[in-house]
Amino acid sequence: MLKQYKLKNYHFQLILSVLTLNIIGIMLIGSARHSVQKMQIMGCILGFIAMIVISLMDYSFILKFCWVYYIGIIGLLGLVLVKGHNSHGSQRWIDFGSFRFQPSELAKIVLILFFAWFFAKYAEKINTIQIIGISMILVGIPLLLIFKQPDTSTSIAIALIFISLLFIAGLSYKIVMTVLGITIPVGLIGFSMILHMAQTSDDYRFGRIMAWLYPKDKRWAEIADQQQNSIMAIGSGQLWGKGLNNSVATSMKNANYIVEPQTDFIFAVAGEELGFIGTTVIICLLLFIAIECILIARKAKDLSGKLICCGMAALVGFQSVFNLFVATGLMPNTGIPLPFVSYGLTSLLSMYMGMGFVLNVGLQPKKY
């Protein structure tokens, strides 16, 4: 389980970038909602310890118990639907009194580990209907449970991570092109049907799509205001921002015009208070973390290690793009956290755990 590693293979630059990004996030959270800042600091400390411990554990040994993790996360996701805590119309958390646990966040890491093991084990049969079909069923079960919460954004993120892993594992280009040839027109038809249904539906997801497409329409004005205020907040920061914890009367955050400023719209707070320079630093750090994961993947000793790193790169990449696009109005509001920046203990701890596995893969490079 524990092995002798060489210090030169430890990727301290990845640890430094993760900690820097998390510290920026803690400062922004303190400005957005000071009452939860201490909890995020605690999450940072616990996450850092978990990352270091996991980075020293042999991932090959941990992957031997993937079925246990998979069944466990399915059980937790099922428990959420039965006895989960409901908030704002969504049942995504298990309430433990002093804190809430969100299994869907942990599910992202568990599924990356599981499919890293699964695709590596059946690498030679990856293009057979049997393996593709089984993998679709295995990812479909947790996706359905998460979608039922409802948590559409997490479902989409996990689906994209799964597709990325499947492609990296060696899925044939012919199959990829065939699937794209079918799904693109079907997706366009489905999107058109959703827009038609949205006009007569009370579903919040349809409302968010319509608010994004027609922000000036009075029917969707209340929903559209979230993103419009976020865009104005980001723009008002200009080059250097208004400063953290400022008391400027014209601040969108101070006037409570930004909804959930400590979580989904933390980037709006960053834009307003840190300006273009601050937001650029955040984006560069996120990009560096994703690229570093890919670089470590290139030197992984086996396919499972490569898939773990690429899975984490996909998780950081897709989740960052979703959050930034929502905050800047480039896509409908999806309600997904910005990695290492947004408030959320389960999300933060899960991301640290994932980075721990990446670091362990880096400690065991292939021998030339």
Side-chain angles (χ1 to χ4, degrees):
M1 186 175 181
L2 294 175
K3 299 176 66 175
Q4 294 294 324
Y5 302 116
K6 294 181 180 179
L7 189 63
K8 67 176 183 179
N9 293 326
Y10 209 70
H11 291 257
F12 290 101
Q13 66 272 24
L14 179 59
I15 296 175
L16 181 61
S17 58
V18 166
L19 282 176
T20 302
L21 186 61
N22 196 186
I23 290 170
I24 293 173
I26 289 171
M27 292 190 295
L28 289 170
I29 289 167
S31 179
R33 183 163 294 177
H34 185 71
S35 60
V36 298
Q37 187 181 38
K38 289 183 179 179
M39 288 293 290
Q40 192 74 352
I41 294 173
M42 184 185 299
C44 175
I45 295 170
L46 293 175
F48 178 77
I49 294 172
M51 178 178 68
I52 299 302
V53 171
I54 291 173
S55 71
L56 300 176
M57 300 169 67
D58 186 2
Y59 71 89
S60 298
F61 175 81
I62 295 174
L63 291 182
K64 292 180 180 179
F65 306 96
C66 274
W67 277 109
V68 176
Y69 313 143
Y70 179 82
I71 294 171
I73 201 65
I74 294 299
L76 287 173
L77 291 172
L79 184 63
V80 169
L81 296 180
V82 177
K83 295 185 177 181
H85 176 79
N86 193 298
S87 178
H88 302 292
S90 298
Q91 194 163 311
R92 304 175 185 175
W93 301 269
I94 298 175
D95 200 335
F96 290 99
S98 58
F99 70 95
R100 294 188 304 176
F101 171 65
Q102 189 174 355
S104 60
E105 291 295 330
L106 182 60
K108 298 171 185 176
I109 308 301
V110 171
L111 292 176
I112 288 173
L113 294 176
F114 179 80
F115 284 109
W117 168 81
F118 183 83
F119 289 145
K121 183 176 181 179
Y122 299 102
E124 295 181 358
K125 300 179 181 178
I126 195 69
N127 289 303
T128 62
I129 296 177
Q130 180 184 10
I131 297 302
I132 293 175
I134 292 173
S135 65
M136 291 290 184
I137 294 172
L138 289 172
V139 76
I141 296 172
L143 278 178
L144 179 62
L145 292 172
I146 293 171
F147 187 78
K148 292 280 287 183
Q149 292 179 1
D151 193 350
T152 308
S153 56
T154 299
S155 301
I156 295 173
I158 291 176
L160 290 173
I161 293 168
F162 170 76
I163 293 170
S164 300
L165 292 176
L166 189 57
F167 178 75
I168 294 165
L171 188 66
S172 171
Y173 286 95
K174 294 180 181 179
I175 297 177
V176 173
M177 297 307 296
T178 302
V179 172
L180 287 176
I182 297 172
T183 55
I184 290 177
V186 170
L188 291 173
I189 294 172
F191 187 71
S192 299
M193 292 177 64
I194 289 174
L195 293 182
H196 177 72
M197 292 169 63
Q199 298 178 20
T200 57
S201 174
D202 293 327
D203 192 300
Y204 77 96
R205 288 167 291 196
F206 298 147
R208 286 179 175 181
I209 293 174
M210 296 303 291
W212 175 63
L213 291 172
Y214 308 106
K216 295 183 179 180
D217 192 315
K218 294 182 179 179
R219 292 175 297 174
W220 318 108
E222 185 176 347
I223 303 174
D225 283 346
Q226 297 180 26
Q227 285 186 297
Q228 295 305 306
N229 291 340
S230 173
I231 294 169
M232 286 190 285
I234 294 171
S236 68
Q238 299 184 32
L239 185 61
W240 293 103
K242 300 173 182 176
L244 288 168
N245 302 297
N246 69 76
S247 57
V248 179
T250 56
S251 168
M252 300 294 290
K253 183 211 71 182
N254 294 341
N256 295 319
Y257 284 125
I258 301 177
V259 181
E260 299 295 340
Q262 79 281 8
T263 55
D264 301 343
F265 285 93
I266 193 71
F267 191 73
V269 178
E272 183 174 63
E273 301 194 340
L274 301 180
F276 176 78
I277 300 298
T279 54
T280 300
V281 170
I282 291 173
I283 293 171
C284 287
L285 285 170
L286 289 166
L287 182 62
F288 177 82
I289 291 171
I291 293 174
E292 189 67 18
C293 289
I294 295 172
L295 293 176
I296 294 173
R298 294 182 62 187
K299 297 181 180 180
K301 68 176 183 179
D302 54 24
L303 180 57
S304 59
K306 179 180 179 181
L307 291 172
I308 288 173
C309 295
C310 290
M312 285 305 300
L315 173 57
V316 172
F318 286 129
Q319 203 159 295
S320 298
V321 167
F322 285 176
N323 184 280
L324 298 179
F325 276 26
V326 168
T328 54
L330 294 176
M331 66 180 289
N333 190 353
T334 59
I336 198 165
L338 188 61
F340 298 108
V341 181
S342 295
Y343 173 73
L345 294 186
T346 311
S347 174
L348 183 61
L349 289 173
S350 298
M351 292 300 300
Y352 267 114
M353 289 169 62
M355 288 301 149
F357 286 109
V358 172
L359 288 168
N360 185 255
V361 174
L363 282 172
Q364 304 182 65
K366 59 184 175 183
K367 298 178 180 178
Y368 295 95

